[in-house]
Amino acid sequence: MTALDEYAPEVRDAVARAREQVSRLHAELPRWGLVVWTAGNVSQRVVVDPAGPSERDLLVIKPSGVTYDELTPEAMVVCDLEGNLVEGTRAPSSDTAAHAYVYSHLPHVGGVVHTHSTYATAWAARAEPVPCVLTMMADEFGGDIPVGPFALIGDDSIGRGIVETLRDSRSPAVLMRNHGPFTIGKDAKAAVKAAVMVEEVARTVHISRQLGEPLPIAQSDVDSLYARYQNVYGQH
Ligand SMILES: [Zn+2]
């Protein structure tokens, strides 16, 4: 008997699907060179009551300190949005409180990813936003990639820093100062995509900097690139 038995069958089915998705998406982090050893984590929200308050939602996340080769759907951990364990045989990721804070305060977010990917973290170490000097940045991030505050693990401060930085930004990525990137998306897959893209543009803009000063893109062009990519591009 786990606490999950108290939830409706639809919720338990949704948790089972999220376990599969989150397990599979974790494999993308080493595949794209975003993590070493056990660093990094992906989570996904499970909506408990579509008509009710989002505070009752659950999240599925990686267990703490487990290597990527050992990650299976069964190994994933289910928590509520206060970070309490609902189902799982292992302790949740040490970043669970930050993920839970984001889901509690940004109801449109369905997935969160955190890595210490090299180039994005190098910008975070210098607390410098990545300037929007690439059309792919305008497409994906709608502007500069912002820097969040310095925060220590252990309380709400990382989550609060992420939410305060991203709440009024079009960017799905924040570089937490001296730490690394956190990304958000409508689901875990979208947040993983943002984690891959933030590393890619951090690397490209860094290399551009070695050659000289990258040229800015006019705000009106950033706006039209963003609007087109978000609303028109792709398969519909
Ligand atoms: Zn971290």
Side-chain angles (χ1 to χ4, degrees), residues 24-79:
R24 198 170 56 241
L25 285 165
H26 271 101
E28 299 293 322
L29 304 187
R31 190 158 89 88
W32 293 97
L34 304 182
V35 292
V36 297
W37 201 236
T38 65
N41 36 70
V42 177
S43 71
Q44 176 145 307
R45 180 199 295 269
V46 175
V47 174
V48 167
D49 177 4
S54 59
E55 301 91 80
R56 293 183 51 213
D57 290 347
L58 300 173
L59 67 89
V60 175
I61 194 166
K62 173 170 163 274
S64 182
V66 175
T67 62
Y68 280 83
D69 292 343
E70 300 173 276
L71 294 181
T72 60
E74 299 71 42
M76 297 301 131
V77 180
V78 185
C79 291

Side-chain angles (χ1 to χ4, degrees), residues 76-225:
M76 297 301 131
V77 180
V78 185
C79 291
D80 66 21
L81 296 193
E82 287 171 355
N84 302 308
L85 187 69
V86 173
E87 187 186 58
T89 55
R90 302 172 195 251
S93 161
S94 51
D95 291 312
T96 300
H99 290 242
Y101 190 97
V102 173
Y103 292 123
S104 298
H105 291 81
L106 299 175
H108 65 284
V109 171
V112 178
V113 173
H114 173 49
T115 80
H116 301 152
S117 65
T118 305
Y119 284 88
T121 302
W123 286 84
R126 299 178 54 251
E128 183 182 358
V130 184
C132 186
V133 293
L134 303 168
T135 57
M136 68 187 285
M137 286 189 72
D139 290 345
E140 296 279 350
F141 300 95
D144 298 353
I145 297 169
V147 173
F150 180 79
L152 290 177
I153 201 161
D155 60 14
D156 273 354
S157 54
I158 295 178
R160 213 167 49 236
I162 298 166
V163 168
E164 282 167 8
T165 310
L166 293 185
R167 182 169 262 155
D168 302 316
S169 175
R170 295 195 289 210
S171 172
V174 51
L175 306 175
M176 291 299 284
R177 181 179 158 179
N178 299 103
H179 185 169
F182 281 80
T183 60
I184 58 174
K186 66 176 170 33
D187 54 24
K189 185 180 177 188
V192 169
K193 182 190 179 194
V196 173
M197 299 308 285
V198 71
E199 178 64 4
E200 175 70 2
V201 302
R203 187 168 75 103
T204 305
V205 177
H206 169 77
I207 291 170
S208 176
R209 274 272 182 90
Q210 311 313 302
L211 304 171
E213 196 53 38
L215 301 175
I217 301 173
Q219 186 61 48
S220 57
D221 292 331
V222 171
D223 291 344
S224 62
L225 284 161

